[in-house]
Amino acid sequence: MILTALASGSQHGYGIITDVQEISGGLLRLRPGTLYTALDRLRTDELIEADREEIVDGRLRRYYRLTPAGASRLGAEAARLQAHASAALTRLDLAGGTAT
Amino acid sequence: MTDQARLERGYRRLLACYPRAFRRDSGPEILAVLMAAAPPGRRRPGLAEAADLIGSGLRMRLRPGVPQSARTVRAAVRLMYAGAALPTAYLIIVLAYLGVHGMQAVRWPHRASLTAAQVSEHKAVIIMVVTVTLLIMTALWLWMARANGRGRNWARILSTVLFGLTTLNLTSVFGPPGFRIGVGGPGASGIFSVLMWLVGLAALWLLWRPASSAYFRPPGFTEAGHSAQPSSRT
């Protein structure tokens, strides 16, 4: 979900939290502790990287962006989910046309 | 002190759960997000927020912190954390065994020449020695896991030396009866020693794989195709 939030461009921590909430239709609200643990792991795995920093109202704001490896991982995961969804819809359709 | 300042102080205290290097790098940034996300009028961190920060900080302290590109080192570090659980588990078993069977469960070199009163006198010492030994083993596993996870080559070498000592210990387990102090039947300590030796062997094999060596090279070492570098987090 964090990779998806970064797919359209770089975002700062609070921006990612609000974006993830929007993408999930309000179902998922990341807490800062959870977010930064995940960001640290994604940075360690070289899927995201720091883009730039700025100071807003005297506080540090760091922007993150996808690395090529992160974009590739997100693309592969999206394709996998899409294939899974297509298979489910096709089977439901065959079973009685309930999916249309 | 204003409500904002009190809230910020509360968050700073909770951020102490995170590793120091991580706090230095990302602490001000997390603090900014926490303050931005806090509802107006809040004077201290909420219970759920506190639980999230404490849990996340502790998880980060325990996580290997090795990039995915260094798969073999990552697996070795995980095995070492599993190895750290073994002495602790054995300690619990030993203490439970002593609780049920008393000092009759203790085996030592001159057991036969001691009276029941003498055995009883040594009870506290034996329990302390066994406990301290097993806790030191746990600490060594954790230390080696962390240091190897940080890409320290000395840790890889020291792990190898410690594995040598574990091998020596293994030979004494299967040595002549009455050769060493032990608790429970020889089977219990034998299984424990063999398990620990096997975990150590697997971890060491992974640490010395060619794929791992790139991770342990000093910073600044450049070689075509070498991308795995130790995490800067720790």
Side-chain angles (χ1 to χ4, degrees):
Chain A
M1 201 63 99
I2 293 171
L3 294 182
T4 306
L6 295 175
S8 57
S10 66
Q11 292 256 34
H12 54 81
Y14 190 65
I16 295 172
I17 290 177
T18 51
D19 211 12
V20 164
Q21 195 169 6
E22 195 182 311
I23 293 166
S24 67
L27 290 174
L28 186 61
R29 179 165 169 77
L30 284 175
R31 291 190 182 279
T34 309
L35 170 71
Y36 277 91
T37 307
L39 288 177
D40 184 61
R41 197 187 66 240
L42 293 169
R43 282 175 82 181
T44 303
D45 292 344
E46 295 159 3
L47 298 177
I48 64 166
E49 62 191 359
D51 183 25
R52 65 184 191 280
E53 291 178 0
E54 57 187 37
I55 303 291
V56 179
D57 297 331
R59 295 195 183 277
L60 176 69
R61 187 177 275 184
R62 186 179 284 154
Y63 287 78
Y64 296 92
R65 67 175 174 218
L66 288 181
T67 61
S72 167
R73 170 73 67 85
L74 178 63
E77 187 63 16
R80 190 185 67 78
L81 290 172
Q82 191 174 37
H84 190 185
S86 298
L89 290 170
T90 305
R91 289 185 180 206
L92 278 171
D93 201 27
L94 286 175
T98 53
T100 51
Chain B
M1 186 182 280
T2 63
D3 289 353
Q4 281 255 318
R6 189 173 286 123
L7 181 63
E8 184 168 333
R9 193 177 65 176
Y11 284 139
R12 281 185 192 281
R13 281 182 182 154
L14 290 167
L15 287 175
C17 294
Y18 285 85
R20 192 186 308 158
F22 178 78
R23 281 202 312 271
R24 206 179 303 129
D25 178 65
S26 303
E29 186 190 348
I30 304 179
L31 194 61
V33 173
L34 285 163
M35 294 301 288
R42 174 162 282 182
R43 298 174 65 184
R44 58 175 65 92
L47 201 62
E49 265 179 330
D52 176 54
L53 288 170
I54 293 168
S56 300
L58 295 180
R59 266 201 307 279
M60 196 171 278
R61 280 180 186 275
L62 289 174
R63 218 179 51 209
V66 183
Q68 267 189 343
S69 51
R71 284 175 198 278
T72 47
V73 180
R74 205 175 203 182
V77 170
R78 285 194 173 138
L79 272 175
M80 287 178 169
Y81 279 122
L86 284 174
T88 312
Y90 186 59
L91 177 62
I92 293 166
I93 293 168
V94 161
L95 293 178
Y97 202 84
L98 280 171
V100 174
H101 298 279
M103 291 309 285
Q104 293 307 311
V106 178
R107 294 173 290 111
W108 58 11
H110 308 294
R111 178 83 166 81
S113 63
L114 291 175
T115 64
Q118 283 172 318
V119 168
S120 186
E121 268 176 35
H122 289 86
K123 181 177 180 178
V125 177
I126 290 172
I127 291 175
M128 195 183 73
V129 167
V130 169
T131 305
V132 169
T133 306
L134 290 170
L135 288 179
I136 288 173
M137 283 180 181
T138 302
L140 282 173
W141 277 106
L142 291 175
W143 182 37
M144 286 300 100
R146 282 175 66 89
N148 278 291
R150 291 175 187 179
R152 308 283 191 265
N153 200 38
W154 60 261
R156 190 163 62 146
I157 294 163
L158 184 55
S159 302
T160 311
V161 173
L162 290 171
F163 178 72
L165 294 175
T166 309
T167 307
L168 284 177
N169 176 60
L170 193 69
T171 56
S172 76
V173 168
F174 296 104
F179 181 70
R180 66 205 298 269
I181 294 175
V183 176
S189 57
I191 290 169
F192 163 70
S193 301
V194 168
L195 266 178
M196 216 167 71
W197 186 81
L198 285 173
V199 172
L201 179 68
L204 215 59
W205 180 73
L206 286 163
L207 285 178
W208 288 99
R209 300 275 297 158
S212 300
S213 294
Y215 189 71
F216 288 96
R217 286 194 184 113
F221 184 96
T222 52
E223 185 180 297
H226 162 233
S227 62
Q229 281 292 324
S231 164
S232 59
R233 171 167 66 79
T234 51

